[in-house]
């Protein structure tokens, strides 16, 4: 064989010999470092098919071309900053898109196998999971299904409307209460800009309507009345209560972070700690549970040595929001996990029923059995009270406490205590303090003293949880930082006021207008405290509803879960008989 043809053969033989020598030496080394009889642990090389089929450029291009992302990016300058990372375990690419001050404006997940975009989030959906339109994330899939939601809405409307005179402003009031369901449709689709905008008109209408009733004694000469017999109202209410409670119990895993926070806070109180700064976190702690769908493990060993599911921002509420859960946690306990949380279910059901019972008591006192049945029916049939109940939040606690105070409104001490307890559940109730202070006949020294005594004692009782900490000064500072300090600077896309953070063309920045609205809310609270000078139950209910609606309208972070705050007082303003105001006492 000629010489030139032997060179490749010799080279191949030499290479094979070297590979054999290296492989043999590696095997000997492994055998020498492995105990007798033990199987050596080998780390196989990644197979060729573990390499991504797409390039980063290809994954980024797929996300940028995705119609949803492409339409959103039209609102920003061309050539955004992008980044793509490949996950070998899931065989997917995650692509991030940034644009100047707006930060991350889009995110997408691309299947490596076929280049298909499996997830695409834009605008608020990037940072907010609740903006992604997950079906049943709030309220559960059954309640928010078209059939059940429309059935509840129809029962509420038919039960309270005057079918003989349907074309009246009272019918419009009921439709305004139900129209939030249109906004909810868009929220459930993940279209939060549309949902936030559609929530504004009914808020404004109900605010104007209740303020008109409260400030003008003759604005509502004839109260709203159901045409159903009392026994029918009572029977339907009992059926709805059973349906709602049964649905809540049957759907165990519907507790959102608000209800979970209440359980954690109650657990901390029972352990001799204040809830503030003591929520379970994930940073720098040992994992003690499986990873979730997003690949992140929520369960970590906390500073108390217990494995708990994280809820780091669960301490943003007033102390009563945690004390209210203490009886249920004491009776039912807590596993430390974000599981079915029976204590959260029990507390939500208890305060939902308490609000209904308080409405019945008010109706019985001020209008007799028919009004009692009508008010209880209104609470049970309104879809958004069921929505809060099925989400197992703390949003029935505040109205339940206020309704008990309304029932005992002739006592300044009771009004003061109720205002304080409600305010330190949800801080929104603080806007009511001047109005409830001046109920009936304005400022009188004796009334002021008794109201202040009730408010003060209830406040001290609520904030006694801070005494559980070694340093009261540090506890107060932590309370402020974790609650009002956090909420006052909070960004959110769930109202029209938070849209400026996205710096998107066509999405207005209304922050300056929000400041004007907030000033007007404070002014409204001041005016309502002095006008009308003599107030009856109708005026108190109507102005309470107006102030809470105005407060909600000014919030950066708004939710459908807040509608149970105002519903009882809207119903009271529409249904209470207009009593002849008592004569003002002589100076």
């Amino acid at each position: 064989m000629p010489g030139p043809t032997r060179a490749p053969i010799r080279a191949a033989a030499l290479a094979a010999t070297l590979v054999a020598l290296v492989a043999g030496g590696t095997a000997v080394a492994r055998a020498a470092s492995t105990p007798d009889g033990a199987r050596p642990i080998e780390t196989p090389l990644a197979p060729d098919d573990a390499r991504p089929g797409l390039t980063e450029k290809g994954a980024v291009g797929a996300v940028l071309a995705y119609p949803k992302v492409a339409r959103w990016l039209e609102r920003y300058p061309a050539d955004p900053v992008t980044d793509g990372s490949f996950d070998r375990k899931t065989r997917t690419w995650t692509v991030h898109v940034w644009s100047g001050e707006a930060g991350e404006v889009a995110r997408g997940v691309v299947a490596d196998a076929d280049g298909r975009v499996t997830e695409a989030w834009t605008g608020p959906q990037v940072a907010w999971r609740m903006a992604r339109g997950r079906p049943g994330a709030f309220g559960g899939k059954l309640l928010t299904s078209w059939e059940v939601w429309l059935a509840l809405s129809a029962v509420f409307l038919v039960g309270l409307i005057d079918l003989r005179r349907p074309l009246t402003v009272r019918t419009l009031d009921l439709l305004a209460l139900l129209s939030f369901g249109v906004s909810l449709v868009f929220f459930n689709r993940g279209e939060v800009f549309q949902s936030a905008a559609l929530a504004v008109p009914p808020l404004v209408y109900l605010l104007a309507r209740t303020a008109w009733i409260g400030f003008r004694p003759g604005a509502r000469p004839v109260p709203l009345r159901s045409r159903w017999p009392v026994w029918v109202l009572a029977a339907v209410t009992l059926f709805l209560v059973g349906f709602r409670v049964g649905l809540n119990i049957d759907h165990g895993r519907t507790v959102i972070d608000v209800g979970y926070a209440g359980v954690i806070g109650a657990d901390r109180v029972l352990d001799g700690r204040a809830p503030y700064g003591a929520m379970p976190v994930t940073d720098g702690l040992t994992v003690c549970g499986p990873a979730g769908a997003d690949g992140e493990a929520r369960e970590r060993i906390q500073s108390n040595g217990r494995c708990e599911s994280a809820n780091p921002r669960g301490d943003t509420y007033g102390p009563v929001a945690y004390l209210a859960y203490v009886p249920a946690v004491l009776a039912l306990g807590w596993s430390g996990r974000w599981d079915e949380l029976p204590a959260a279910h029990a507390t939500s059901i208890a305060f939902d029923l308490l609000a209904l019972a308080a409405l019945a008591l008010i109706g019985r006192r001020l209008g007799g059995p028919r009004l009692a049945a009508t008010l209880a029916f209104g609470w049970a049939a309104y879809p958004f009270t069921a929505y809060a109940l099925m989400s197992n939040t703390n949003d029935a606690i505040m109205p339940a406490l206020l309704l008990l105070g309304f029932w005992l409104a002739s006592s300044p001490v009771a009004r003061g205590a109720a205002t304080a307890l409600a305010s330190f559940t949800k801080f929104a109730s603080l806007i009511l303090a001047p109005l409830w202070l001046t109920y009936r006949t304005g400022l009188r020294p004796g009334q002021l003293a008794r109201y202040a005594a009730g408010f003060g004692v209830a406040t001290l009782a609520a904030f006694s949880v801070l005494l559980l900490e070694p340093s009261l000064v540090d506890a107060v500072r932590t309370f402020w930082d974790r609650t009002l300090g956090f909420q006052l600077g909070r960004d959110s896309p769930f109202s029209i006021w938070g849209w400026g953070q996205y710096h998107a063309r066509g999405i207005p920045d209304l922050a300056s207008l929000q400041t004007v609205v907030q000033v007007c809310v404070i002014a409204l609270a001041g005016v309502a405290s002095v006008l009308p000078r003599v107030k009856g139950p109708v005026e108190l209910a109507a102005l309470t509803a107006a102030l809470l609606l105005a407060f909600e309208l000014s919030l950066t972070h708004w939710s459908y879960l807040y509608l149970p705050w105002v519903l009882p007082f809207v119903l009271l303003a529409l249904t209470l008989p207009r009593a002849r105001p008592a004569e003002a006492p002589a100076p």
Side-chain angles (χ1 to χ4, degrees):
M1 184 177 292
T5 61
R6 294 195 186 106
I9 297 175
R10 285 198 299 267
L14 180 59
T17 304
L18 289 173
V19 170
L21 289 174
V22 171
T26 304
V28 171
R30 285 178 179 167
S33 60
T34 310
D36 292 340
R39 185 175 180 179
I41 300 175
E42 299 182 5
T43 304
L45 297 174
D48 291 340
D49 61 359
R51 297 173 182 172
L54 286 176
T55 63
E56 179 181 344
K57 183 178 180 180
V60 168
V63 170
L64 294 181
Y66 194 70
K68 176 181 177 180
V69 175
R71 286 193 301 268
W72 179 249
L73 293 180
E74 290 175 358
R75 301 176 182 272
Y76 295 94
D79 300 323
V81 177
T82 60
D83 175 72
S85 59
F86 180 66
D87 187 333
R88 292 181 181 273
K89 183 181 295 186
T90 61
R91 308 294 300 168
T92 58
W93 286 88
T94 300
V95 175
H96 306 268
V97 184
W98 291 276
S99 180
E101 291 181 278
E104 188 176 1
V105 296
R107 183 183 302 173
V109 177
V110 182
D112 182 66
D114 54 9
R116 180 172 49 91
V117 177
T118 59
E119 294 180 9
W121 311 122
T122 58
Q125 297 175 338
V126 174
W128 293 85
R129 291 183 181 276
M130 62 185 286
R132 299 178 181 179
R134 293 176 296 164
F138 295 87
K141 293 183 179 180
L142 180 60
L143 176 67
T144 55
S145 64
W146 281 98
E147 299 84 357
V148 175
W149 192 271
L150 291 178
L152 277 177
S153 300
V155 170
F156 178 83
L157 182 62
V158 174
L160 296 177
I161 197 176
D162 186 350
L163 293 175
R164 292 182 296 185
R165 299 177 59 200
L167 301 179
T168 64
V169 70
R170 297 171 186 82
T171 302
L172 186 59
D173 297 335
L174 298 174
L175 290 174
L177 284 169
L178 293 172
S179 67
F180 291 100
V182 178
S183 171
L184 181 64
V185 170
F186 287 88
F187 175 80
N188 288 339
R189 292 179 184 173
E191 300 175 22
V192 296
F193 293 119
Q194 295 88 334
S195 67
L198 287 169
V200 172
L203 285 173
V204 172
Y205 172 83
L206 292 170
L207 166 59
R209 181 81 168 109
T210 52
W212 184 258
I213 293 172
F215 286 124
R216 294 179 61 86
R220 195 227 57 188
V222 180
L224 179 70
R225 284 287 182 268
S226 173
R227 294 294 178 180
W228 288 0
V230 173
W231 70 268
V232 173
L233 283 170
V236 173
T237 300
L238 286 175
F239 171 80
L240 290 171
V241 168
F243 172 75
R244 288 153 54 107
V245 172
L247 197 63
N248 180 285
I249 295 173
D250 190 53
H251 290 69
R253 291 188 175 272
T254 55
V255 181
I256 66 171
D257 58 345
V258 178
Y260 180 41
V263 172
I264 299 170
D267 177 81
R268 297 300 189 254
V269 171
L270 292 172
D271 282 346
R273 301 177 62 192
Y276 304 103
M279 290 285 133
V281 296
T282 57
D283 297 340
L285 299 177
T286 304
V287 175
C288 58
D294 57 358
E296 180 182 353
R298 297 187 64 91
E299 297 174 2
R300 307 292 176 101
I301 303 295
Q302 303 298 317
S303 58
N304 59 6
R306 189 182 186 191
C307 181
E308 295 177 348
S309 300
N311 190 6
R313 276 296 174 184
D315 52 353
T316 62
Y317 308 103
V320 180
Y322 306 105
L323 292 172
Y325 286 79
V326 167
V329 173
L330 192 61
L332 301 173
W334 173 46
S335 66
R337 267 52 172 199
W338 196 336
D339 48 24
E340 294 191 357
L341 297 169
H345 286 267
T347 303
S348 296
I349 292 171
F351 279 94
D352 180 80
L353 296 178
L354 181 60
L356 184 147
L359 278 168
L361 290 171
I362 294 168
R364 177 77 180 182
R365 169 171 288 184
L366 299 178
R370 170 168 290 279
L371 182 57
T374 299
L375 291 171
F377 166 83
W379 176 271
Y382 190 53
F384 284 101
T385 58
Y387 186 78
L389 175 61
M390 282 301 296
S391 300
N392 292 284
T393 71
N394 57 17
D395 290 286
I397 300 175
M398 183 189 86
L401 295 172
L402 286 176
L403 287 169
L404 291 175
F406 192 95
W407 179 49
L408 303 171
S410 58
S411 167
V413 174
R415 290 201 314 274
T419 307
L421 293 175
S423 298
F424 300 123
T425 302
K426 297 284 188 177
F427 299 114
S429 294
L430 286 170
I431 200 74
L432 302 176
L435 169 65
W436 283 48
L437 169 63
T438 59
Y439 173 61
R440 280 295 184 189
T441 55
L443 279 174
R444 300 172 63 187
Q447 175 175 287
L448 174 61
R450 291 193 294 273
Y451 181 92
F455 192 97
V457 170
T459 299
L460 290 174
F463 281 95
S464 63
V465 297
L466 300 184
L467 297 175
L468 298 173
E469 295 299 307
S471 170
L472 180 60
V473 174
D474 290 342
V476 171
R477 185 182 299 112
T478 302
F479 164 79
W480 174 266
D481 291 341
R482 303 294 297 181
T483 57
L484 290 169
F486 167 70
Q487 293 188 28
L488 290 173
R490 188 180 191 182
D491 284 328
S492 170
F494 302 109
S495 76
I496 61 175
W497 312 120
W499 294 350
Q501 63 183 300
Y502 298 104
H503 302 277
R505 191 182 304 114
I507 306 294
D509 184 353
L510 302 173
S512 298
L513 180 58
Q514 182 186 22
T515 302
V516 174
V517 171
Q518 290 170 339
V519 171
C520 290
V521 172
I522 296 172
L524 179 64
V527 172
S529 67
V530 296
L531 294 176
R533 187 167 64 90
V534 178
K535 301 180 181 70
V538 174
E539 288 80 15
L540 180 62
L543 293 176
T544 296
L547 287 174
L548 289 174
L549 284 161
F551 186 88
E552 289 193 23
L553 190 61
S554 71
L555 288 175
T556 301
H557 184 80
W558 182 83
S559 171
Y560 306 96
L561 299 168
Y562 302 164
L563 293 175
W565 303 358
V566 300
L567 172 75
F569 299 101
V570 173
L571 290 177
L572 288 168
L574 297 176
T575 59
L576 286 179
R578 176 73 73 174
R580 185 174 180 177
E583 293 296 329

